[in-house]
Amino acid sequence: MRTVKEISDLTGISVRTLHYYDEIGLLKPTEKSEAGYRLYDDMALGTLRQILFFREFDISLKEIKAIIENPVLDKEQILQMQRKMLVSRKERMERLIASIDRILEGDNTMDFEVFSKDELEDMYNSMSANMSEEQKAVFIEYYGSMEEWKNKFLENASTEAVQENFRKVVEWYGSKEKALEASKNPGNTEFVPACQKQLVEVIKKLAGKIGQDVNSPEVRELVGEYDSVTKQMFQLSDAASMVLEIAAAYRTNKEIQAAQDSIYGEGTTEFIGQAMEAFYLSGNAFSD
């Protein structure tokens, strides 16, 4: 057993912070001495290391507590989650290092490009070819001509913010090639609205389950349906990354919560986000 002072010296975490973690139930001491001092065993130390790791990614204490206390997550699954986060950070660091190296060599532009200009033009040509005349009319009315819309599309798509969104799309599809292929084959005009309508119905049903255990069969079945429709709609083999991003927005974005809660009731948006995360974090998201 180790005392608070020994744990503090070992990890660099202040005694005050350890006391606070105890108060909020994030990290309880293994036991207390006869004099009332907190004592921690190796398992508690391991839990603290997990907490500190998540804190490196600016995850809130509330979210960390929910992850650690999730009954369907075991140690291996949490390690898998942390590994994926590390790999993602490693890849971003490698991109930044490569950009800095190019700057040092005389190239003063940061490399944020995901799709080249030629690839963006191919993407535009595919989208316009799949548009109905009614859809084209909307763009012509707004921009004056399809050529003007093409110029605006290429201008916006070349910005760092949009390219960063493209980077997420590539992650969802698994490769740039698959993402480009999906953009060139968006499906017929009736299919996508039908999928969108089905997703709205699933959200409505999930909102009606608020208060239930997010791991209950009824809730999991509905999230499974959301997963299935998302795969079909976006031509994905695995929708986990995409839906988990939606889940994170549902749990943390106050504007989204306000808008959706005004339709389905207070707290429903956060509940749906938690249900989505529970569905994947129970094992589906770590099947690879």
Side-chain angles (χ1 to χ4, degrees), residues 225-243:
E225 182 180 347
Y226 191 98
D227 172 86
S228 178
V229 176
T230 301
K231 287 177 184 175
Q232 295 175 47
M233 181 175 175
F234 293 97
Q235 305 170 52
L236 292 167
S237 59
D238 183 355
S241 295
M242 178 181 285
V243 181

Side-chain angles (χ1 to χ4, degrees), residues 18-32 38-41 43-45 47 51 65 69:
L18 288 168
H19 286 175
Y20 179 65
Y21 287 176
D22 180 12
E23 290 170 8
I24 64 174
L26 180 60
L27 180 69
K28 305 293 290 184
T30 306
E31 61 181 57
K32 290 187 177 181
R38 297 172 175 86
L39 299 173
Y40 300 83
D41 62 9
M43 185 176 295
L45 180 60
T47 301
I51 293 168
K65 189 172 185 289
E69 292 181 351

Side-chain angles (χ1 to χ4, degrees), residues 23 34 73 193:
E23 290 170 8
E34 292 183 1
L73 285 179

Side-chain angles (χ1 to χ4, degrees), residues 3-284:
T3 64
V4 171
K5 179 65 167 60
E6 289 171 332
I7 292 292
S8 176
D9 292 341
L10 189 63
T11 63
I13 299 302
S14 69
V15 171
R16 183 177 180 179
T17 298
L18 288 168
H19 286 175
Y20 179 65
Y21 287 176
D22 180 12
E23 290 170 8
I24 64 174
L26 180 60
L27 180 69
K28 305 293 290 184
T30 306
E31 61 181 57
K32 290 187 177 181
S33 69
E34 292 183 1
Y37 294 115
R38 297 172 175 86
L39 299 173
Y40 300 83
D41 62 9
D42 289 341
M43 185 176 295
L45 180 60
T47 301
L48 177 58
R49 289 191 177 116
Q50 291 177 351
I51 293 168
L52 297 180
F53 180 90
F54 283 123
R55 290 297 288 156
E56 285 293 316
F57 290 87
D58 296 323
I59 297 176
S60 70
L61 295 179
K62 180 180 178 181
E63 290 176 295
I64 295 172
K65 189 172 185 289
I67 292 170
I68 291 176
E69 292 181 351
N70 191 325
V72 300
L73 285 179
D74 58 26
K75 182 179 179 181
E76 181 177 350
Q77 289 173 327
I78 291 176
L79 287 173
Q80 287 278 13
M81 183 193 308
Q82 293 174 333
R83 185 183 187 281
K84 287 193 174 187
M85 294 168 74
L86 273 178
V87 169
S88 178
R89 172 173 281 190
K90 172 177 173 287
E91 290 173 349
R92 175 161 177 76
M93 289 300 104
E94 288 175 345
R95 289 196 299 271
L96 289 174
I97 290 169
S99 296
I100 291 171
D101 287 342
R102 282 190 289 274
I103 292 172
L104 291 173
E105 292 169 2
D107 183 355
N108 291 320
T109 59
M110 293 293 283
D111 178 21
F112 57 79
E113 184 181 86
V114 177
F115 293 126
S116 67
K117 183 177 179 180
D118 288 343
E119 289 169 333
L120 291 173
E121 287 197 8
D122 285 344
M123 192 183 297
Y124 166 81
N125 291 334
S126 297
M127 287 190 298
S128 60
N130 283 285
M131 282 183 179
S132 66
E133 291 305 315
E134 291 81 3
Q135 289 172 321
K136 288 181 181 179
V138 173
F139 285 99
I140 291 172
E141 181 180 355
Y142 189 84
Y143 291 101
S145 69
M146 288 296 288
E147 187 63 26
E148 282 301 313
W149 178 59
K150 176 181 179 180
N151 293 335
K152 193 65 178 178
F153 170 82
L154 294 176
E155 178 187 339
N156 290 337
S158 299
T159 64
E160 183 172 0
V162 175
Q163 288 281 343
E164 184 60 32
N165 287 333
F166 283 150
R167 195 181 307 282
K168 292 180 181 179
V169 172
V170 169
E171 290 175 359
W172 295 338
Y173 283 95
S175 71
K176 187 165 77 169
E177 292 71 26
K178 289 181 180 178
L180 281 170
E181 187 63 29
S183 72
K184 294 176 182 179
N185 298 282
N188 62 57
T189 54
E190 293 81 18
F191 177 71
V192 172
C195 287
Q196 291 173 330
K197 184 177 180 181
Q198 191 172 352
L199 290 177
V200 170
E201 287 301 313
V202 173
I203 291 296
K204 188 184 299 184
K205 291 176 183 177
L206 279 169
K209 301 294 183 183
I210 188 171
Q212 286 193 21
D213 183 349
V214 292
N215 291 299
S216 68
E218 297 86 358
V219 173
R220 288 183 60 78
E221 182 179 351
L222 286 170
V223 180
E225 182 180 347
Y226 191 98
D227 172 86
S228 178
V229 176
T230 301
K231 287 177 184 175
Q232 295 175 47
M233 181 175 175
F234 293 97
Q235 305 170 52
L236 292 167
S237 59
D238 183 355
S241 295
M242 178 181 285
V243 181
L244 281 172
E245 286 216 18
I246 294 171
Y250 277 11
R251 289 190 302 95
T252 61
N253 190 304
K254 300 301 182 185
E255 292 181 358
I256 293 176
Q257 289 176 355
Q260 191 156 268
D261 284 2
S262 68
I263 300 172
Y264 301 115
E266 186 176 354
T268 53
T269 306
E270 184 174 0
F271 167 76
I272 293 169
Q274 292 172 348
M276 289 173 170
E277 288 188 343
F279 178 81
Y280 293 104
L281 298 182
S282 65
N284 299 44

